[in-house]
Amino acid sequence: MQKAECPGDSVRLSSRVTGNYNQRTSASPQIKHRTAVQRSKSSSSASSPESARKVHPRPSDKLNPKTINPFGEQSRAPSAFAAVYSKGGVPCRLVHGSVKHRLQWECPPENLPFDPLLITLAEGLRETKHPYTFVSKEGFKELLLVQDAPEKALPLLPRLIPVLKAALAHSDDGVFERGVNALVQLSVVVGPSLNDHLKHLLTSLSKRLRDKKFKEPITSALQKLEQHGGSESLIIIKAKIPTYCSICC
């Protein structure tokens, strides 16, 4: 025999079910609202100007690079030349002019020892930032212009050649051009004495000859190497670069 349901029990059960449903329906908008807020925050952070700049640098960042202070603290370890220069190991400073820059030496260059200054300046040819680029190339050139440069430079050739070779093999076009100019300046000073080391330097020149923009300056440099190195230099150049045409032709 089944018990008769009490009307009060049915009312309480109905009330309980209705209450649970109302709680679920009232909580649902709150969950949706929190999810929407989280999505909005993530999308706004992803599309913020700071994150956009990190992913896509502005063109002005390339046009206006940060100024390098050779005497200030750098975030990264400085190069060997930059470290020597900042400590006063290079006895000259850059003087900014209205038309062009120049070097101011602490004493006349003819009074300076070439060892190790000339090698230090040659190492600076691989720099890619101002003022190191100007100081190294101009200092190297001016030091080789002193009257007794041949006597001072000749003993340093075995140490100079690997440094110049590294500049000629550098991937940066500016570094390569400074290396070529320094090589020609050295050949003017030491003449045929450079021939014993010439074959070590011609490989990089031969590779760059494939680039049209370097064909003319390299050809001019080879002609000057032949001019100051004599007939022996021509044999060495032709062995490495068979397409080279002698200035005597």
Side-chain angles (χ1 to χ4, degrees):
M1 184 174 180
Q2 297 181 348
K3 293 183 180 180
E5 292 185 356
C6 179
D9 293 339
S10 300
V11 172
R12 285 195 296 272
L13 179 61
S14 175
S15 175
R16 208 180 296 122
V17 172
T18 304
N20 292 339
Y21 174 77
N22 290 338
Q23 289 177 359
R24 287 196 300 269
T25 55
S26 62
S28 179
Q30 295 177 0
I31 294 173
K32 291 181 179 180
H33 176 69
R34 286 198 298 270
T35 304
V37 170
Q38 291 173 355
R39 288 177 179 175
S40 175
K41 288 182 179 179
S42 61
S43 62
S44 61
S45 62
S47 60
S48 63
E50 293 182 0
S51 61
R53 282 196 294 269
K54 291 179 181 178
V55 178
H56 301 290
R58 298 173 298 180
S60 58
D61 293 340
K62 295 181 179 180
L63 296 174
N64 302 300
K66 292 183 179 180
T67 302
I68 302 299
N69 180 6
F71 305 104
E73 295 183 359
Q74 305 294 326
S75 58
R76 292 182 296 178
S79 63
F81 180 81
V84 173
Y85 182 74
S86 63
K87 294 177 182 178
V90 181
C92 62
R93 287 293 175 265
L94 172 64
V95 177
H96 293 273
S98 57
V99 178
K100 64 178 182 178
H101 305 321
R102 64 179 181 86
L103 290 182
Q104 180 177 346
W105 295 87
E106 296 177 2
C107 64
E110 54 267 20
N111 296 340
L112 294 171
F114 275 29
D115 188 7
L117 181 56
L118 187 64
I119 298 172
T120 300
L121 291 168
E123 290 174 344
L125 297 172
R126 285 177 285 169
E127 295 289 339
T128 57
K129 294 179 180 178
H130 185 77
Y132 311 130
T133 52
F134 181 85
V135 172
S136 59
K137 72 172 183 178
E138 193 66 20
F140 188 88
K141 181 180 74 173
E142 293 186 13
L143 209 58
L144 288 178
L145 292 176
V146 301
Q147 188 173 1
D148 56 348
E151 292 80 5
K152 291 181 176 181
L154 278 172
L156 301 179
L157 280 180
R159 294 159 61 192
L160 273 174
I161 297 306
V163 179
L164 289 179
K165 182 180 178 181
L168 294 172
H170 203 283
S171 59
D172 185 90
D173 290 349
V175 174
F176 173 75
E177 290 174 354
R178 289 191 289 275
V180 171
N181 292 333
L183 176 60
V184 172
Q185 292 157 8
L186 185 63
S187 71
V188 174
V189 173
V190 301
S193 299
L194 188 62
N195 292 340
D196 294 337
H197 311 276
L198 199 54
K199 61 181 180 180
H200 303 294
L201 303 170
L202 293 176
T203 302
S204 298
L205 296 181
S206 176
K207 291 180 179 179
R208 291 278 188 157
L209 267 174
R210 303 168 189 171
D211 193 335
K212 293 182 179 179
K213 66 181 175 182
F214 288 121
K215 186 174 182 179
E216 184 176 344
I218 291 176
T219 301
S220 176
L222 292 173
Q223 290 174 346
K224 291 176 182 177
L225 291 175
E226 180 190 354
Q227 176 184 350
H228 300 293
S231 57
E232 183 184 353
S233 65
L234 175 60
I235 298 174
I236 300 171
I237 294 173
K238 292 287 286 185
K240 284 288 185 179
I241 308 175
T243 57
Y244 171 70
C245 294
S246 172
I247 55 176
C248 299
C249 296

